[in-house]
Amino acid sequence: MFQVGDRVVYPMHGAGVIEAIEEREVLGERHRYYILRLPVGDMRLMIPTASAPQSGLRPVIPADQVPAVLEALCEPVPPLDSNWNHRYREHADKLRSGDILEVAVVVRNLSARQKARGLSGGERRLLDQARQILVSELALAGGMGRDEADALVERHLGAAEPAGGA
């Protein structure tokens, strides 16, 4: 169970801080909810406490894991499926996993693909979403602002080896 003030990540939305734990009535039933404030987009989410583990809600990574995430951005890009629909599904699955290293792989792969050949509209949106999730967690984990975390991601993407078949 999380507490007010805990820094957490909600897959597909990003990292934020639990502002409150409240009991609310929804459809005639009372449930307890985590009220999560996401700094990116100034969004508030209500997540039922009972289903938080199944939803993938997890603590933000510790600061000592940030370098491993940044290294993942620099790794060589493997050959990617030439079918955009297959690529999209594969990357969407990685994003849904909630694993920060998988999110970094999505950002690395799609960024390389964008530079090399461009992306479909769906892949562009997926890249934007993955990058938002990645930057939000790195900012909270590393104790930095969003702009600083975004610049850090950009620098590491710039150091990545060229795409091999991206």
Side-chain angles (χ1 to χ4, degrees), residues 9 12 40 54 56 71 97 104 113 132:
V9 177
M12 302 301 287
V40 177
Q54 298 91 333
E71 284 177 32
S97 77
R113 175 78 185 189
Q132 174 183 317

Side-chain angles (χ1 to χ4, degrees), residues 107-125:
V107 170
R108 179 198 68 206
N109 290 355
L110 291 180
S111 293
R113 175 78 185 189
Q114 184 175 38
K115 287 177 188 168
R117 299 189 185 156
L119 296 173
S120 67
E123 284 180 306
R124 262 194 313 279
R125 284 187 296 280

Side-chain angles (χ1 to χ4, degrees), residues 48-63:
T49 59
S51 63
Q54 298 91 333
S55 71
L57 190 68
R58 65 170 176 78
V60 167
I61 61 168

Side-chain angles (χ1 to χ4, degrees), residues 4-79:
V4 172
D6 285 352
R7 298 172 313 155
V8 296
V9 177
Y10 190 57
M12 302 301 287
H13 291 283
V17 177
I18 295 178
E19 288 190 327
I21 301 172
E22 299 177 357
E23 193 167 301
R24 300 256 177 116
E25 186 172 327
V26 177
L27 299 174
E29 292 186 33
R30 295 198 68 74
H31 297 282
R32 288 177 56 83
Y33 292 89
Y34 293 119
I35 308 301
L36 180 61
R37 165 80 58 198
L38 300 176
V40 177
D42 197 32
M43 188 184 335
R44 282 184 63 178
L45 298 174
M46 288 178 38
I47 303 159
T49 59
S51 63
Q54 298 91 333
S55 71
L57 190 68
R58 65 170 176 78
V60 167
I61 61 168
D64 65 355
Q65 289 183 13
V66 169
V69 174
L70 295 172
E71 284 177 32
L73 295 172
C74 300
E75 291 175 1
V77 178

